[in-house]
Amino acid sequence: MALLLVTGASTGLGLATATTLASGGHDVVLHARNADRIEDVRVLEQMYDVVYGDLSHREETVEVARRADAIGRFDAVVHNAGVMRGDDVLAVNTVAPFVLTATMTPPQRAIFLSSGLHHSGSPQRLAPDFARPGRTSYGDSKLFVTALALALARRLPHTLSHAVDPGWVPTRMGGPSAPESLEDGHRTQVWLATADTDSIDPRTGGYWYHQAAQAPHPAASDPGFQDAVVDALEVHTGIPLPA
């Protein structure tokens, strides 16, 4: 039995991930922006605990980390929360996973939701543009968080870190016409969070699509680009990544 945190788990992929893990006998802490986001409160009966907080705000994200830390050290954190467009794309998709990672007691495993659209990101930017967050595309935000996941695999060897492309699935973000299944969309996160590490290859630093390792955008694998992203996040948030 593992202690697991899933962010953005009130609906869609996050909810499917959280309920599948709970059904497997694990202690799952569900994160949601607020209580009103949970459409069926009966789902909370399956959860070990719940934490609320708006990940578009740094202070609330730090508070989510504090409350989660008070529950215990997590075996795995699934950074699922995300938005597709608007001024909060960079804050939720990139900054929040960094703040949670840099603030919480390091988990044994960290899984970051990327997207196939990260291949359309612009590495020429070298780092997030925090002065104009509304100009950051979804693809850019996912390129940055993929680079973050792979940077952590290199810099924090005691935390196994992976990025996952869940595919285009029928969620609130993906829309009802999405061609792939919700089941396929969350299976990889569940597997990476709970499987015997001997069955995961690469053991850390993988970019995954439906339990198969894939090649990410070349920039995401470049240590120089990874470090530029991490450095920019540290300066922007004022929170250093633990050595």
Side-chain angles (χ1 to χ4, degrees):
M1 180 183 295
L3 180 62
L4 310 163
L5 172 65
V6 183
T7 69
S10 60
T11 60
L13 281 172
L15 179 59
T17 302
T19 54
T20 299
L21 289 167
S23 297
H26 299 289
D27 291 333
V28 180
V29 177
L30 181 151
H31 159 266
R33 185 186 307 167
N34 52 56
D36 292 340
R37 297 283 292 181
I38 299 175
E39 298 175 354
D40 184 355
V41 296
R42 291 175 297 180
V43 73
L44 297 181
E45 298 173 4
Q46 304 174 50
M47 301 298 137
Y48 182 77
D49 210 334
V50 59
V51 291
Y52 297 112
D54 188 340
L55 299 186
S56 68
H57 298 290
R58 183 176 65 88
E59 294 78 9
E60 288 198 43
T61 306
V62 171
E63 183 62 16
V64 168
R66 187 192 68 78
R67 292 174 181 168
D69 251 357
I71 295 169
R73 183 185 179 188
F74 288 90
D75 294 287
V77 176
V78 181
H79 296 278
N80 169 84
V83 295
M84 180 65 90
R85 58 184 61 86
D87 291 343
D88 293 336
V89 164
L90 184 56
V92 175
N93 296 0
T94 307
V95 178
F98 171 82
V99 170
L100 291 172
T101 300
T103 306
M104 291 176 63
T105 301
Q108 293 183 19
R109 309 183 193 195
I111 298 104
F112 297 81
L113 265 287
S114 180
S115 166
L117 292 176
H118 91 280
H119 286 285
S120 68
S122 302
Q124 294 82 4
R125 299 180 187 275
L126 294 181
D129 184 356
F130 298 107
R132 298 181 293 177
R135 295 173 65 96
T136 300
S137 70
Y138 180 78
D140 284 346
S141 73
K142 291 300 184 180
L143 174 59
F144 295 141
V145 82
T146 304
L148 173 62
L150 302 189
L152 295 174
R154 178 170 56 88
R155 295 170 62 157
L156 301 179
H158 296 298
T159 295
L160 307 184
S161 179
H162 296 278
V164 177
D165 170 15
W168 183 11
V169 298
T171 62
R172 183 180 294 172
M173 282 178 55
S177 61
E180 299 182 63
S181 75
L182 192 63
E183 177 68 25
D184 287 340
H186 76 274
R187 183 181 293 121
T188 304
Q189 297 88 288
V190 171
W191 172 65
L192 288 172
T194 60
D196 189 316
T197 55
D198 290 340
S199 69
I200 301 173
D201 185 17
R203 184 172 178 269
T204 188
Y207 171 73
W208 300 86
Y209 173 73
H210 295 354
Q211 290 184 247
Q214 307 286 316
H217 191 297
S221 299
D222 176 8
F225 181 75
Q226 294 170 7
D227 289 343
V229 171
V230 171
D231 290 348
L233 287 165
E234 290 181 326
V235 171
H236 173 67
T237 63
I239 303 172
L241 187 69

